[in-house]
Amino acid sequence: MTTTEPVPSVPPAPAAPLLSAENLRVAFPARRGDTARARAVDGVDLDIRPGEIVALVGESGCGKTTLARSLLGLVRPTAGRVTFGGRPLDYSSRALKAYRKRVQLVLQDPSGSLNPRHTVYDAVAEGLRIHAYAGDEREAVSTALSRAGLRPPERFFLRYPHELSGGQRQRVVIAGALVLEPELIVADEPVASLDASVRGEILALLLRLRAELGLSALVVTHDLGLAWNIADRVAVMYLGRIVETGAVEDVLSAPRHPYTQALLSVLPDAPGAPVVLTGEPPDPSRIPSGCRFHARCQILASGEAERAGVADACREEDLPILNGSGASQAACHWAETRAPQGPRGTGRKPGPR
């Protein structure tokens, strides 16, 4: 009797990206009396795949909101390109209108996002009217409100923003994005203005929408605790570049870039003393040579980079742009000299703050 050797299983190829940035750059005009342009986004590669939640993390002023706006077509890149569904983004008015039906923005402050003179019904129906929706408007609004957790939806139709709690207002904003049945949402600090008691509810809602609708999301945040609780992948941004990226468990359990380590050190339950970064991020119109983080880097300041033989490289040699794939990567001369470390921390996921 002959036996058949088992055929090794081949893991399925990852899905093609839904949205991609390729060597994206956004520079703003110089200030009066200055010739250097501010490089807010200075070479970014980033992919978001169908059904994936990616967290874009960094300090205020690092360029993450400008990157998000360029992915939405609200800011036209100086160089590089954005692709959606494999096609480069078309910046004509008609094409952008069609694109924004498929990619929706959820802003940080629901109070500022909602017109105080519009009822909940009108706020959610606004997108349908802009896009000349031909179906049953009332049914579409009801479905969107229900998906956002406002049930029964009819109870909210005639209410105004000031009559709602902060969490309810954010759900109305999310319903306004969902009503057009987008494939991807860009959520800019979606829970930053909410009380701690309702942040977890909104994060749970975003996860449920991903599970039920296959919705992809880019979540822009300064909070690594939030990223850990919601994201599949995380991209850490500093001074216009992504400096570390990978699966959320890899990056946040065993961070390799000193900047990521510093951001994690201030979370609740983080081991050891917080890393206090000295000074502010450099001016984006005067990005330093070498690693753009080196002037604030605790590894360089402590002498560890010198002992590893990379201190001069840190100060003088630029690093390549990370390729934005699912692989864990860190743009750091010191990290390149070290094998990936085992998990760090308490073993618990930090909760959203």
Side-chain angles (χ1 to χ4, degrees):
M1 183 176 68
T2 60
T3 59
T4 303
E5 291 292 329
V7 178
S9 61
V10 178
L18 178 63
L19 180 68
S20 291
E22 301 172 19
N23 194 24
L24 204 67
R25 299 175 188 270
V26 179
F28 293 115
R31 293 174 294 186
R32 182 175 297 179
D34 197 345
T35 58
R37 305 186 79 193
R39 291 179 280 169
V41 178
D42 192 35
V44 166
D45 288 356
L46 183 65
D47 294 338
I48 304 171
R49 300 183 186 279
E52 182 179 45
I53 298 178
V54 176
L56 181 64
V57 181
E59 294 171 289
S60 297
C62 71
K64 59 187 187 294
T65 295
T66 302
L67 173 58
R69 290 174 62 82
S70 65
L71 294 175
L72 286 159
L74 298 172
V75 173
R76 190 158 185 166
T78 308
R81 68 175 187 169
V82 176
T83 61
F84 185 78
R87 295 185 176 183
L89 191 58
D90 183 339
Y91 291 91
S92 66
S93 297
R94 178 177 294 180
L96 282 177
K97 182 177 179 181
Y99 173 66
R100 289 175 188 148
K101 184 177 179 181
R102 302 173 70 186
V103 180
Q104 283 283 301
L105 174 65
V106 174
L107 291 170
Q108 170 181 346
D109 180 9
S111 298
S113 304
L114 298 171
N115 187 325
R117 295 183 177 86
H118 286 181
T119 64
V120 166
Y121 183 95
D122 287 331
V124 177
E126 182 177 10
L128 297 175
R129 295 166 183 171
I130 289 171
H131 290 273
Y133 180 67
D136 186 330
E137 181 183 276
R138 182 183 176 91
E139 178 62 28
V141 171
S142 294
T143 299
L145 286 169
S146 293
R147 284 173 172 169
L150 294 173
R151 303 186 186 94
E154 295 79 7
R155 185 163 67 90
F156 295 90
F157 279 179
L158 299 181
R159 297 175 71 178
Y160 288 87
H162 72 271
E163 299 176 298
L164 305 174
S165 68
Q168 289 173 330
R169 286 194 292 268
Q170 189 64 296
R171 289 175 187 270
V172 172
V173 172
I174 292 171
L178 294 177
V179 75
L180 293 169
E181 299 187 348
E183 297 166 60
L184 183 146
I185 60 171
V186 176
D188 191 356
E189 299 282 7
V191 297
S193 64
L194 302 178
D195 293 338
S197 59
V198 297
R199 291 182 187 183
E201 296 176 10
I202 299 300
L203 297 183
L205 169 63
L206 294 175
L207 288 170
R208 179 170 59 79
L209 292 172
R210 189 263 295 272
E212 294 178 356
L213 306 177
L215 196 64
S216 303
L218 176 68
V219 178
V220 180
T221 181
H222 67 280
D223 187 348
L224 280 168
L226 182 152
W228 201 329
N229 280 274
I230 195 172
D232 302 298
R233 284 194 298 121
V234 61
V236 181
M237 195 167 184
Y238 183 79
L239 199 59
R241 286 255 179 107
I242 291 173
V243 297
E244 187 162 8
T245 183
V248 67
E249 293 87 355
D250 295 337
V251 173
L252 303 189
S253 293
R256 300 181 64 214
H257 198 285
Y259 179 59
T260 312
Q261 294 175 4
L263 294 179
L264 280 165
S265 75
V266 300
L267 290 178
D269 298 329
V275 175
V276 179
L277 298 177
T278 58
E280 297 294 325
D283 186 333
S285 64
R286 294 178 175 81
I287 292 176
S289 61
C291 169
R292 53 194 60 206
F293 183 61
H294 81 258
R296 305 173 74 201
C297 180
Q298 68 275 22
I299 301 299
L300 192 61
S302 70
E304 287 188 53
E306 188 76 45
R307 290 189 289 274
V310 295
D312 290 341
C314 293
R315 298 185 183 98
E316 299 168 9
E317 296 179 19
D318 199 5
L319 289 145
I321 294 171
L322 302 185
N323 65 25
S325 73
S328 293
Q329 308 161 70
C332 174
H333 295 294
W334 173 76
E336 290 175 357
T337 69
R338 298 165 58 85
Q341 303 296 300
R344 299 160 60 98
T346 64
R348 293 191 304 232
K349 292 183 179 181
R353 294 176 295 153

